[in-house]
Amino acid sequence: MKLKDVAEHLNISVSTVSRVVNNKDYVKPELRKKVLEALDLFQYRPNEIARSLKSKTSKVIGVVVPDIMNQFFAAIIRGVESIAREHGYSIIICNSDERLDKEAEYLQLLVQKQISALVIATVNETAPFLEQFKAYNIPTVFVDNLPKAEGQFDSVTVDNVRASYELVQHIINAGHKKIALITGPLNQTSSSERFIGWEKAMVDAGNHIKKEWIKVGTFKQKDGYEFMKQILRLKELPTAVFAANNILAYGAIRAIKEHGIDIPTDISLISFDTIDPTGLLAPRITSMIQPAEEIGVIAGDLIIRKLQNPEIKRVERVILEPEFDKGESVLSK
């Protein structure tokens, strides 16, 4: 069904029907009502592709994350989507799988799709691709990892250094001195800042840091598993392990269980975002919980504000407070 068909049915001009559909210019209330009834009768739906071609944009927000299976990023997506739908936008979700090449391909695709805006948890350290987003005036908000270009774009994160420091300080206050670290790529701020927080807490407490207790890889479960196995083969074992995110923690837990040792009796474990909505994970892992859905909602709000007010040029960096979950995975020594 086209606008022309609706216009012919009502014996009015196509431009009048168009004004009603787009809610532009004045149309007499009685006539507007008739048009709306006809649109509903014929189940008319606007052709968004044609609209985007005409306006050189679409009512679509791109969302790029490194791991769509991670409940943290899933919650961010949910938050962005809730705001997008509220304002008549759809979202396209892209999973980069922590790969730079895949992320770059998706970003190029999103530009070609003429997206209106972008929310991205990039795995890139410098994000050179963002120049084209600036050139096309596409509002962009970073979540989680902030590349070196973050001063030019809006962002929504937590203070990873402080959150990590406080989490490690909790386990130090429980009497632990030998604390290992399993983390992701240090070219990503979410990883490097948690490393800094761990290191600062250890140094401030006067704890000795052993190089073999530091494991750096990807944020994939297989690395958490392999690194934990390596740690458990050391001559001098740590009494606790800090896994820098939930996926690494799940891998570490699997290795610990396979080794036949108990959490927290034999080894304590702390992490970020290790939430178990099923209640089946025992013990509950002591964690810093980021407000993931709120991050998505605020990112969505920033996007909509910039789309509705293109003259706003101020860059906003929003830093939210994580919530500490004491859990049951730390044994006082």
Side-chain angles (χ1 to χ4, degrees), residues 81-141:
E81 183 187 33
S82 67
I83 298 300
R85 285 181 58 83
E86 187 179 318
H87 291 85
Y89 286 80
S90 302
I91 66 171
I92 294 178
I93 303 167
C94 301
N95 177 46
S96 70
D97 201 31
E98 292 192 44
R99 286 172 44 189
L100 290 171
D101 61 332
K102 198 172 177 183
E103 179 181 285
E105 287 174 11
Y106 275 133
L107 289 167
Q108 191 59 45
L109 174 66
L110 292 174
V111 170
Q112 292 170 1
K113 293 290 184 183
Q114 299 176 321
I115 60 166
S116 300
L118 174 69
V119 176
I120 180 169
T122 182
V123 294
N124 204 314
E125 184 176 8
T126 57
F129 57 82
L130 289 171
E131 288 306 315
Q132 61 184 320
F133 284 85
K134 288 192 72 175
Y136 287 112
N137 294 315
I138 299 173
T140 300
V141 178

Side-chain angles (χ1 to χ4, degrees), residues 26-34:
Y26 178 75
V27 177
K28 289 182 180 180
E30 317 87 68
L31 184 54
R32 179 181 294 276
K33 182 181 178 184
K34 286 184 179 179

Side-chain angles (χ1 to χ4, degrees), residues 243-313:
N245 86 335
N246 54 335
I247 303 301
L248 290 173
Y250 299 142
I253 291 167
R254 179 184 159 205
I256 289 169
K257 288 184 178 295
E258 285 184 5
H259 205 75
I261 62 178
D262 182 72
I263 302 172
T265 305
D266 303 309
I267 193 165
S268 293
L269 179 69
I270 56 175
S271 182
F272 265 68
D273 301 314
T274 307
I275 307 168
D276 175 28
T278 68
L280 298 175
L281 183 62
R284 197 170 83 251
I285 304 301
T286 302
S287 293
M288 277 294 184
I289 309 298
Q290 298 180 88
E293 190 162 350
E294 186 182 357
I295 289 173
V297 166
I298 293 174
D301 278 334
L302 288 173
I303 286 292
I304 297 299
R305 201 183 320 151
K306 293 291 176 74
L307 288 171
Q308 293 177 341
N309 304 280
E311 70 279 2
I312 297 177
K313 303 300 180 184

Side-chain angles (χ1 to χ4, degrees), residues 19-67:
R19 290 203 302 274
V20 174
V21 170
N22 294 296
N23 199 28
K24 290 183 178 179
D25 301 324
Y26 178 75
V27 177
K28 289 182 180 180
E30 317 87 68
L31 184 54
R32 179 181 294 276
K33 182 181 178 184
K34 286 184 179 179
V35 172
L36 291 174
E37 287 174 350
L39 291 169
D40 186 55
L41 174 66
F42 291 113
Q43 296 184 327
Y44 171 80
R45 295 292 180 270
N47 187 332
E48 294 295 347
I49 295 176
R51 281 185 172 184
S52 69
L53 288 171
K54 185 177 179 180
S55 64
K56 302 301 181 185
T57 186
S58 64
K59 296 209 68 173
V60 175
I61 297 171
V63 184
V64 181
V65 297
D67 184 0

